Amino acid sequence: MPPTEPRAAGGRRRRGSRASAAEVVTLTAGGARFDNEALDELARAFARGDESAFEALQAQVRDRLYRLAYRITGRRDDALDVVQDALFKVYRDIGAWNERSAFYSWLYRVTTNLAIDRLRRRRRRTVLQQRIAERSSRRPRPGAEHEAVVDARHDDAVRLAQLRRAVDRLAPQQRAVVALRHYEGLPLAEIARIRGCALGTVKSTLHQALRNLQRMLAAERRSEGGGHGGA
């Protein structure tokens, strides 16, 4: 049975409060950390030829990899394919892990890169369809005007839906860093190791991503306000 789609966690915010992009992102963060030593030992055992170690390894990491891939790609089928490709790379290229970093760091790098590549390919293929879908999703439902005026601006579910749309529009590199930082809760230095870049690059990418999220959310709020304002 495939892993389930990530869900929002945490308590509801007080009605009428305003959440920054970073605050809303962290509503969905969570999940237990990997046992690094246990994973490293399983990876070493598999590298020595123990096939059962690979079965144990993938059982421990599959759900976490799925959640990471889903948060980058935004689609279940893409996330499942990314996980399958990542685990196949582990099976085929376990020797590429040089043990200078934790096994999970190497595995996260593999998964993140695969997810970014898949997202880029999908965006190149479906730019027009996505624009049409976005326009359609913003059309008011017949008879729902009163509901939108009363509830939409202060409803957590609506705010999270707005955030997901904004995250969907981030550049793939920004989306990956947001997922690693605010969903996986990884330190910036660890993200730099996973992405294979300088710490300063991670900081600037994350800063720009959060600024873009705040800008897009503010624009959507202004659009809603203009749509309901009197003519």
PDB file of all heavy atoms in Angstrom, residues 89-119:
ATOM      1  N   LYS A  89      18.562   3.487  -7.527  1.00  0.00           N
ATOM      2  CA  LYS A  89      19.930   4.011  -7.547  1.00  0.00           C
ATOM      3  C   LYS A  89      20.716   3.484  -6.353  1.00  0.00           C
ATOM      4  O   LYS A  89      21.901   3.158  -6.482  1.00  0.00           O
ATOM      5  CB  LYS A  89      19.922   5.536  -7.553  1.00  0.00           C
ATOM      6  CG  LYS A  89      21.325   6.140  -7.610  1.00  0.00           C
ATOM      7  CD  LYS A  89      21.292   7.630  -7.808  1.00  0.00           C
ATOM      8  CE  LYS A  89      22.706   8.212  -7.826  1.00  0.00           C
ATOM      9  NZ  LYS A  89      23.538   7.644  -8.918  1.00  0.00           N
ATOM     10  N   VAL A  90      20.068   3.408  -5.186  1.00  0.00           N
ATOM     11  CA  VAL A  90      20.740   2.831  -4.022  1.00  0.00           C
ATOM     12  C   VAL A  90      21.156   1.397  -4.323  1.00  0.00           C
ATOM     13  O   VAL A  90      22.290   0.981  -4.050  1.00  0.00           O
ATOM     14  CB  VAL A  90      19.821   2.876  -2.785  1.00  0.00           C
ATOM     15  CG1 VAL A  90      20.436   2.080  -1.633  1.00  0.00           C
ATOM     16  CG2 VAL A  90      19.580   4.318  -2.352  1.00  0.00           C
ATOM     17  N   TYR A  91      20.226   0.625  -4.892  1.00  0.00           N
ATOM     18  CA  TYR A  91      20.501  -0.788  -5.178  1.00  0.00           C
ATOM     19  C   TYR A  91      21.633  -0.936  -6.190  1.00  0.00           C
ATOM     20  O   TYR A  91      22.500  -1.796  -6.052  1.00  0.00           O
ATOM     21  CB  TYR A  91      19.234  -1.454  -5.710  1.00  0.00           C
ATOM     22  CG  TYR A  91      19.339  -2.950  -5.829  1.00  0.00           C
ATOM     23  CD1 TYR A  91      19.039  -3.775  -4.748  1.00  0.00           C
ATOM     24  CD2 TYR A  91      19.751  -3.546  -7.020  1.00  0.00           C
ATOM     25  CE1 TYR A  91      19.147  -5.156  -4.849  1.00  0.00           C
ATOM     26  CE2 TYR A  91      19.863  -4.920  -7.132  1.00  0.00           C
ATOM     27  CZ  TYR A  91      19.556  -5.720  -6.041  1.00  0.00           C
ATOM     28  OH  TYR A  91      19.672  -7.083  -6.144  1.00  0.00           O
ATOM     29  N   ARG A  92      21.620  -0.063  -7.191  1.00  0.00           N
ATOM     30  CA  ARG A  92      22.599  -0.181  -8.276  1.00  0.00           C
ATOM     31  C   ARG A  92      23.929   0.477  -7.940  1.00  0.00           C
ATOM     32  O   ARG A  92      24.999  -0.017  -8.334  1.00  0.00           O
ATOM     33  CB  ARG A  92      22.018   0.467  -9.541  1.00  0.00           C
ATOM     34  CG  ARG A  92      22.879   0.356 -10.787  1.00  0.00           C
ATOM     35  CD  ARG A  92      22.310   1.240 -11.885  1.00  0.00           C
ATOM     36  NE  ARG A  92      22.311   2.649 -11.473  1.00  0.00           N
ATOM     37  CZ  ARG A  92      21.681   3.613 -12.133  1.00  0.00           C
ATOM     38  NH1 ARG A  92      20.964   3.317 -13.210  1.00  0.00           N
ATOM     39  NH2 ARG A  92      21.743   4.859 -11.710  1.00  0.00           N
ATOM     40  N   ASP A  93      23.873   1.610  -7.201  1.00  0.00           N
ATOM     41  CA  ASP A  93      25.071   2.437  -7.023  1.00  0.00           C
ATOM     42  C   ASP A  93      25.401   2.686  -5.558  1.00  0.00           C
ATOM     43  O   ASP A  93      25.805   3.790  -5.193  1.00  0.00           O
ATOM     44  CB  ASP A  93      24.878   3.795  -7.722  1.00  0.00           C
ATOM     45  CG  ASP A  93      24.714   3.661  -9.219  1.00  0.00           C
ATOM     46  OD1 ASP A  93      25.282   2.714  -9.788  1.00  0.00           O
ATOM     47  OD2 ASP A  93      24.023   4.501  -9.819  1.00  0.00           O
ATOM     48  N   ILE A  94      25.214   1.692  -4.695  1.00  0.00           N
ATOM     49  CA  ILE A  94      25.510   1.906  -3.280  1.00  0.00           C
ATOM     50  C   ILE A  94      26.961   2.326  -3.082  1.00  0.00           C
ATOM     51  O   ILE A  94      27.292   3.055  -2.141  1.00  0.00           O
ATOM     52  CB  ILE A  94      25.197   0.627  -2.460  1.00  0.00           C
ATOM     53  CG1 ILE A  94      25.360   0.887  -0.961  1.00  0.00           C
ATOM     54  CG2 ILE A  94      26.072  -0.529  -2.917  1.00  0.00           C
ATOM     55  CD1 ILE A  94      24.408   1.899  -0.400  1.00  0.00           C
ATOM     56  N   GLY A  95      27.836   1.927  -4.000  1.00  0.00           N
ATOM     57  CA  GLY A  95      29.238   2.316  -3.896  1.00  0.00           C
ATOM     58  C   GLY A  95      29.466   3.804  -4.057  1.00  0.00           C
ATOM     59  O   GLY A  95      30.533   4.317  -3.691  1.00  0.00           O
ATOM     60  N   ALA A  96      28.463   4.536  -4.598  1.00  0.00           N
ATOM     61  CA  ALA A  96      28.607   5.985  -4.752  1.00  0.00           C
ATOM     62  C   ALA A  96      28.557   6.701  -3.408  1.00  0.00           C
ATOM     63  O   ALA A  96      28.989   7.851  -3.298  1.00  0.00           O
ATOM     64  CB  ALA A  96      27.514   6.528  -5.675  1.00  0.00           C
ATOM     65  N   TRP A  97      27.996   6.036  -2.389  1.00  0.00           N
ATOM     66  CA  TRP A  97      28.031   6.609  -1.040  1.00  0.00           C
ATOM     67  C   TRP A  97      29.427   6.395  -0.473  1.00  0.00           C
ATOM     68  O   TRP A  97      29.868   5.267  -0.271  1.00  0.00           O
ATOM     69  CB  TRP A  97      26.986   5.944  -0.150  1.00  0.00           C
ATOM     70  CG  TRP A  97      27.067   6.364   1.287  1.00  0.00           C
ATOM     71  CD1 TRP A  97      27.121   7.635   1.762  1.00  0.00           C
ATOM     72  CD2 TRP A  97      27.123   5.507   2.433  1.00  0.00           C
ATOM     73  NE1 TRP A  97      27.203   7.643   3.142  1.00  0.00           N
ATOM     74  CE2 TRP A  97      27.203   6.339   3.575  1.00  0.00           C
ATOM     75  CE3 TRP A  97      27.114   4.124   2.607  1.00  0.00           C
ATOM     76  CZ2 TRP A  97      27.273   5.825   4.868  1.00  0.00           C
ATOM     77  CZ3 TRP A  97      27.178   3.612   3.892  1.00  0.00           C
ATOM     78  CH2 TRP A  97      27.253   4.459   5.012  1.00  0.00           C
ATOM     79  N   ASN A  98      30.127   7.490  -0.198  1.00  0.00           N
ATOM     80  CA  ASN A  98      31.529   7.379   0.208  1.00  0.00           C
ATOM     81  C   ASN A  98      31.725   7.385   1.718  1.00  0.00           C
ATOM     82  O   ASN A  98      32.862   7.366   2.194  1.00  0.00           O
ATOM     83  CB  ASN A  98      32.357   8.507  -0.422  1.00  0.00           C
ATOM     84  CG  ASN A  98      31.795   9.884  -0.094  1.00  0.00           C
ATOM     85  OD1 ASN A  98      31.176  10.087   0.952  1.00  0.00           O
ATOM     86  ND2 ASN A  98      31.999  10.839  -1.003  1.00  0.00           N
ATOM     87  N   GLU A  99      30.640   7.453   2.487  1.00  0.00           N
ATOM     88  CA  GLU A  99      30.662   7.394   3.953  1.00  0.00           C
ATOM     89  C   GLU A  99      31.295   8.617   4.604  1.00  0.00           C
ATOM     90  O   GLU A  99      31.499   8.630   5.815  1.00  0.00           O
ATOM     91  CB  GLU A  99      31.352   6.113   4.454  1.00  0.00           C
ATOM     92  CG  GLU A  99      30.678   4.840   3.995  1.00  0.00           C
ATOM     93  CD  GLU A  99      31.176   3.609   4.727  1.00  0.00           C
ATOM     94  OE1 GLU A  99      31.431   3.715   5.946  1.00  0.00           O
ATOM     95  OE2 GLU A  99      31.309   2.553   4.090  1.00  0.00           O
ATOM     96  N   ARG A 100      31.617   9.643   3.809  1.00  0.00           N
ATOM     97  CA  ARG A 100      32.102  10.877   4.438  1.00  0.00           C
ATOM     98  C   ARG A 100      30.952  11.653   5.071  1.00  0.00           C
ATOM     99  O   ARG A 100      31.166  12.529   5.900  1.00  0.00           O
ATOM    100  CB  ARG A 100      32.828  11.749   3.407  1.00  0.00           C
ATOM    101  CG  ARG A 100      34.212  11.229   3.044  1.00  0.00           C
ATOM    102  CD  ARG A 100      35.053  12.313   2.388  1.00  0.00           C
ATOM    103  NE  ARG A 100      34.501  12.737   1.114  1.00  0.00           N
ATOM    104  CZ  ARG A 100      34.861  12.215  -0.053  1.00  0.00           C
ATOM    105  NH1 ARG A 100      35.759  11.242  -0.104  1.00  0.00           N
ATOM    106  NH2 ARG A 100      34.322  12.654  -1.175  1.00  0.00           N
ATOM    107  N   SER A 101      29.733  11.350   4.657  1.00  0.00           N
ATOM    108  CA  SER A 101      28.543  11.938   5.265  1.00  0.00           C
ATOM    109  C   SER A 101      27.598  10.802   5.626  1.00  0.00           C
ATOM    110  O   SER A 101      27.790   9.659   5.202  1.00  0.00           O
ATOM    111  CB  SER A 101      27.857  12.912   4.299  1.00  0.00           C
ATOM    112  OG  SER A 101      27.431  12.231   3.131  1.00  0.00           O
ATOM    113  N   ALA A 102      26.577  11.108   6.412  1.00  0.00           N
ATOM    114  CA  ALA A 102      25.601  10.091   6.784  1.00  0.00           C
ATOM    115  C   ALA A 102      24.907   9.560   5.532  1.00  0.00           C
ATOM    116  O   ALA A 102      24.713  10.287   4.554  1.00  0.00           O
ATOM    117  CB  ALA A 102      24.571  10.679   7.747  1.00  0.00           C
ATOM    118  N   PHE A 103      24.516   8.288   5.578  1.00  0.00           N
ATOM    119  CA  PHE A 103      23.860   7.689   4.424  1.00  0.00           C
ATOM    120  C   PHE A 103      22.589   8.449   4.062  1.00  0.00           C
ATOM    121  O   PHE A 103      22.291   8.663   2.886  1.00  0.00           O
ATOM    122  CB  PHE A 103      23.523   6.224   4.714  1.00  0.00           C
ATOM    123  CG  PHE A 103      22.712   5.574   3.628  1.00  0.00           C
ATOM    124  CD1 PHE A 103      23.298   5.199   2.437  1.00  0.00           C
ATOM    125  CD2 PHE A 103      21.350   5.371   3.798  1.00  0.00           C
ATOM    126  CE1 PHE A 103      22.548   4.614   1.419  1.00  0.00           C
ATOM    127  CE2 PHE A 103      20.595   4.787   2.794  1.00  0.00           C
ATOM    128  CZ  PHE A 103      21.188   4.408   1.607  1.00  0.00           C
ATOM    129  N   TYR A 104      21.828   8.895   5.085  1.00  0.00           N
ATOM    130  CA  TYR A 104      20.572   9.572   4.771  1.00  0.00           C
ATOM    131  C   TYR A 104      20.822  10.888   4.038  1.00  0.00           C
ATOM    132  O   TYR A 104      20.006  11.310   3.211  1.00  0.00           O
ATOM    133  CB  TYR A 104      19.735   9.789   6.037  1.00  0.00           C
ATOM    134  CG  TYR A 104      19.912  11.125   6.707  1.00  0.00           C
ATOM    135  CD1 TYR A 104      19.100  12.206   6.371  1.00  0.00           C
ATOM    136  CD2 TYR A 104      20.894  11.315   7.673  1.00  0.00           C
ATOM    137  CE1 TYR A 104      19.263  13.435   6.984  1.00  0.00           C
ATOM    138  CE2 TYR A 104      21.060  12.528   8.284  1.00  0.00           C
ATOM    139  CZ  TYR A 104      20.244  13.589   7.941  1.00  0.00           C
ATOM    140  OH  TYR A 104      20.417  14.808   8.543  1.00  0.00           O
ATOM    141  N   SER A 105      21.964  11.564   4.308  1.00  0.00           N
ATOM    142  CA  SER A 105      22.276  12.798   3.586  1.00  0.00           C
ATOM    143  C   SER A 105      22.472  12.509   2.102  1.00  0.00           C
ATOM    144  O   SER A 105      21.969  13.237   1.237  1.00  0.00           O
ATOM    145  CB  SER A 105      23.537  13.453   4.153  1.00  0.00           C
ATOM    146  OG  SER A 105      23.322  13.916   5.467  1.00  0.00           O
ATOM    147  N   TRP A 106      23.217  11.446   1.820  1.00  0.00           N
ATOM    148  CA  TRP A 106      23.419  11.060   0.422  1.00  0.00           C
ATOM    149  C   TRP A 106      22.096  10.665  -0.220  1.00  0.00           C
ATOM    150  O   TRP A 106      21.794  11.052  -1.351  1.00  0.00           O
ATOM    151  CB  TRP A 106      24.410   9.893   0.348  1.00  0.00           C
ATOM    152  CG  TRP A 106      24.625   9.372  -1.041  1.00  0.00           C
ATOM    153  CD1 TRP A 106      25.340   9.972  -2.037  1.00  0.00           C
ATOM    154  CD2 TRP A 106      24.112   8.155  -1.590  1.00  0.00           C
ATOM    155  NE1 TRP A 106      25.308   9.195  -3.176  1.00  0.00           N
ATOM    156  CE2 TRP A 106      24.567   8.074  -2.931  1.00  0.00           C
ATOM    157  CE3 TRP A 106      23.326   7.122  -1.081  1.00  0.00           C
ATOM    158  CZ2 TRP A 106      24.252   7.003  -3.762  1.00  0.00           C
ATOM    159  CZ3 TRP A 106      23.016   6.051  -1.908  1.00  0.00           C
ATOM    160  CH2 TRP A 106      23.471   5.999  -3.230  1.00  0.00           C
ATOM    161  N   LEU A 107      21.265   9.921   0.510  1.00  0.00           N
ATOM    162  CA  LEU A 107      19.982   9.472  -0.018  1.00  0.00           C
ATOM    163  C   LEU A 107      19.043  10.656  -0.260  1.00  0.00           C
ATOM    164  O   LEU A 107      18.317  10.697  -1.261  1.00  0.00           O
ATOM    165  CB  LEU A 107      19.345   8.483   0.955  1.00  0.00           C
ATOM    166  CG  LEU A 107      18.032   7.828   0.533  1.00  0.00           C
ATOM    167  CD1 LEU A 107      18.193   7.089  -0.790  1.00  0.00           C
ATOM    168  CD2 LEU A 107      17.557   6.871   1.623  1.00  0.00           C
ATOM    169  N   TYR A 108      19.051  11.631   0.648  1.00  0.00           N
ATOM    170  CA  TYR A 108      18.236  12.829   0.452  1.00  0.00           C
ATOM    171  C   TYR A 108      18.704  13.613  -0.772  1.00  0.00           C
ATOM    172  O   TYR A 108      17.892  14.183  -1.500  1.00  0.00           O
ATOM    173  CB  TYR A 108      18.307  13.718   1.697  1.00  0.00           C
ATOM    174  CG  TYR A 108      17.146  13.542   2.645  1.00  0.00           C
ATOM    175  CD1 TYR A 108      16.523  12.309   2.800  1.00  0.00           C
ATOM    176  CD2 TYR A 108      16.674  14.599   3.407  1.00  0.00           C
ATOM    177  CE1 TYR A 108      15.468  12.145   3.676  1.00  0.00           C
ATOM    178  CE2 TYR A 108      15.614  14.444   4.287  1.00  0.00           C
ATOM    179  CZ  TYR A 108      15.019  13.220   4.417  1.00  0.00           C
ATOM    180  OH  TYR A 108      13.967  13.067   5.285  1.00  0.00           O
ATOM    181  N   ARG A 109      20.020  13.659  -0.989  1.00  0.00           N
ATOM    182  CA  ARG A 109      20.521  14.363  -2.170  1.00  0.00           C
ATOM    183  C   ARG A 109      20.035  13.671  -3.442  1.00  0.00           C
ATOM    184  O   ARG A 109      19.565  14.339  -4.373  1.00  0.00           O
ATOM    185  CB  ARG A 109      22.052  14.414  -2.167  1.00  0.00           C
ATOM    186  CG  ARG A 109      22.620  15.078  -3.419  1.00  0.00           C
ATOM    187  CD  ARG A 109      24.128  15.035  -3.482  1.00  0.00           C
ATOM    188  NE  ARG A 109      24.741  15.861  -2.459  1.00  0.00           N
ATOM    189  CZ  ARG A 109      26.037  16.143  -2.414  1.00  0.00           C
ATOM    190  NH1 ARG A 109      26.850  15.655  -3.330  1.00  0.00           N
ATOM    191  NH2 ARG A 109      26.527  16.900  -1.461  1.00  0.00           N
ATOM    192  N   VAL A 110      20.146  12.353  -3.476  1.00  0.00           N
ATOM    193  CA  VAL A 110      19.673  11.595  -4.638  1.00  0.00           C
ATOM    194  C   VAL A 110      18.190  11.858  -4.877  1.00  0.00           C
ATOM    195  O   VAL A 110      17.757  12.157  -6.000  1.00  0.00           O
ATOM    196  CB  VAL A 110      19.927  10.086  -4.429  1.00  0.00           C
ATOM    197  CG1 VAL A 110      19.193   9.260  -5.485  1.00  0.00           C
ATOM    198  CG2 VAL A 110      21.423   9.786  -4.463  1.00  0.00           C
ATOM    199  N   THR A 111      17.388  11.759  -3.822  1.00  0.00           N
ATOM    200  CA  THR A 111      15.939  11.920  -3.948  1.00  0.00           C
ATOM    201  C   THR A 111      15.570  13.337  -4.358  1.00  0.00           C
ATOM    202  O   THR A 111      14.710  13.546  -5.225  1.00  0.00           O
ATOM    203  CB  THR A 111      15.254  11.560  -2.616  1.00  0.00           C
ATOM    204  OG1 THR A 111      15.651  10.241  -2.225  1.00  0.00           O
ATOM    205  CG2 THR A 111      13.746  11.615  -2.748  1.00  0.00           C
ATOM    206  N   THR A 112      16.214  14.324  -3.742  1.00  0.00           N
ATOM    207  CA  THR A 112      15.923  15.721  -4.070  1.00  0.00           C
ATOM    208  C   THR A 112      16.256  16.024  -5.523  1.00  0.00           C
ATOM    209  O   THR A 112      15.476  16.671  -6.235  1.00  0.00           O
ATOM    210  CB  THR A 112      16.709  16.659  -3.138  1.00  0.00           C
ATOM    211  OG1 THR A 112      16.337  16.397  -1.782  1.00  0.00           O
ATOM    212  CG2 THR A 112      16.407  18.119  -3.453  1.00  0.00           C
ATOM    213  N   ASN A 113      17.414  15.560  -5.988  1.00  0.00           N
ATOM    214  CA  ASN A 113      17.798  15.808  -7.377  1.00  0.00           C
ATOM    215  C   ASN A 113      16.827  15.152  -8.355  1.00  0.00           C
ATOM    216  O   ASN A 113      16.446  15.751  -9.369  1.00  0.00           O
ATOM    217  CB  ASN A 113      19.220  15.301  -7.630  1.00  0.00           C
ATOM    218  CG  ASN A 113      20.276  16.164  -6.963  1.00  0.00           C
ATOM    219  OD1 ASN A 113      20.014  17.306  -6.594  1.00  0.00           O
ATOM    220  ND2 ASN A 113      21.465  15.627  -6.797  1.00  0.00           N
ATOM    221  N   LEU A 114      16.420  13.924  -8.056  1.00  0.00           N
ATOM    222  CA  LEU A 114      15.458  13.242  -8.924  1.00  0.00           C
ATOM    223  C   LEU A 114      14.117  13.975  -8.944  1.00  0.00           C
ATOM    224  O   LEU A 114      13.481  14.110  -9.996  1.00  0.00           O
ATOM    225  CB  LEU A 114      15.258  11.801  -8.451  1.00  0.00           C
ATOM    226  CG  LEU A 114      16.418  10.836  -8.696  1.00  0.00           C
ATOM    227  CD1 LEU A 114      16.189   9.530  -7.937  1.00  0.00           C
ATOM    228  CD2 LEU A 114      16.586  10.556 -10.189  1.00  0.00           C
ATOM    229  N   ALA A 115      13.685  14.451  -7.773  1.00  0.00           N
ATOM    230  CA  ALA A 115      12.409  15.163  -7.696  1.00  0.00           C
ATOM    231  C   ALA A 115      12.468  16.484  -8.456  1.00  0.00           C
ATOM    232  O   ALA A 115      11.516  16.857  -9.161  1.00  0.00           O
ATOM    233  CB  ALA A 115      12.029  15.401  -6.236  1.00  0.00           C
ATOM    234  N   ILE A 116      13.573  17.209  -8.327  1.00  0.00           N
ATOM    235  CA  ILE A 116      13.730  18.471  -9.058  1.00  0.00           C
ATOM    236  C   ILE A 116      13.718  18.216 -10.560  1.00  0.00           C
ATOM    237  O   ILE A 116      13.057  18.932 -11.325  1.00  0.00           O
ATOM    238  CB  ILE A 116      15.027  19.178  -8.631  1.00  0.00           C
ATOM    239  CG1 ILE A 116      14.887  19.731  -7.209  1.00  0.00           C
ATOM    240  CG2 ILE A 116      15.375  20.312  -9.594  1.00  0.00           C
ATOM    241  CD1 ILE A 116      16.174  20.301  -6.648  1.00  0.00           C
ATOM    242  N   ASP A 117      14.440  17.194 -11.002  1.00  0.00           N
ATOM    243  CA  ASP A 117      14.477  16.874 -12.435  1.00  0.00           C
ATOM    244  C   ASP A 117      13.089  16.533 -12.957  1.00  0.00           C
ATOM    245  O   ASP A 117      12.690  16.973 -14.042  1.00  0.00           O
ATOM    246  CB  ASP A 117      15.424  15.702 -12.688  1.00  0.00           C
ATOM    247  CG  ASP A 117      16.883  16.082 -12.519  1.00  0.00           C
ATOM    248  OD1 ASP A 117      17.185  17.296 -12.485  1.00  0.00           O
ATOM    249  OD2 ASP A 117      17.723  15.167 -12.408  1.00  0.00           O
ATOM    250  N   ARG A 118      12.336  15.752 -12.183  1.00  0.00           N
ATOM    251  CA  ARG A 118      10.989  15.368 -12.624  1.00  0.00           C
ATOM    252  C   ARG A 118      10.074  16.590 -12.673  1.00  0.00           C
ATOM    253  O   ARG A 118       9.270  16.742 -13.603  1.00  0.00           O
ATOM    254  CB  ARG A 118      10.411  14.302 -11.695  1.00  0.00           C
ATOM    255  CG  ARG A 118       9.011  13.833 -12.082  1.00  0.00           C
ATOM    256  CD  ARG A 118       8.643  12.582 -11.328  1.00  0.00           C
ATOM    257  NE  ARG A 118       9.377  11.437 -11.826  1.00  0.00           N
ATOM    258  CZ  ARG A 118       8.923  10.611 -12.764  1.00  0.00           C
ATOM    259  NH1 ARG A 118       7.745  10.819 -13.329  1.00  0.00           N
ATOM    260  NH2 ARG A 118       9.631   9.576 -13.147  1.00  0.00           N
ATOM    261  N   LEU A 119      10.183  17.465 -11.673  1.00  0.00           N
ATOM    262  CA  LEU A 119       9.355  18.665 -11.660  1.00  0.00           C
ATOM    263  C   LEU A 119       9.667  19.549 -12.858  1.00  0.00           C
ATOM    264  O   LEU A 119       8.759  20.088 -13.504  1.00  0.00           O
ATOM    265  CB  LEU A 119       9.587  19.431 -10.355  1.00  0.00           C
ATOM    266  CG  LEU A 119       8.834  20.753 -10.197  1.00  0.00           C
ATOM    267  CD1 LEU A 119       7.326  20.535 -10.256  1.00  0.00           C
ATOM    268  CD2 LEU A 119       9.224  21.429  -8.882  1.00  0.00           C
TER     269      LEU A 119
END
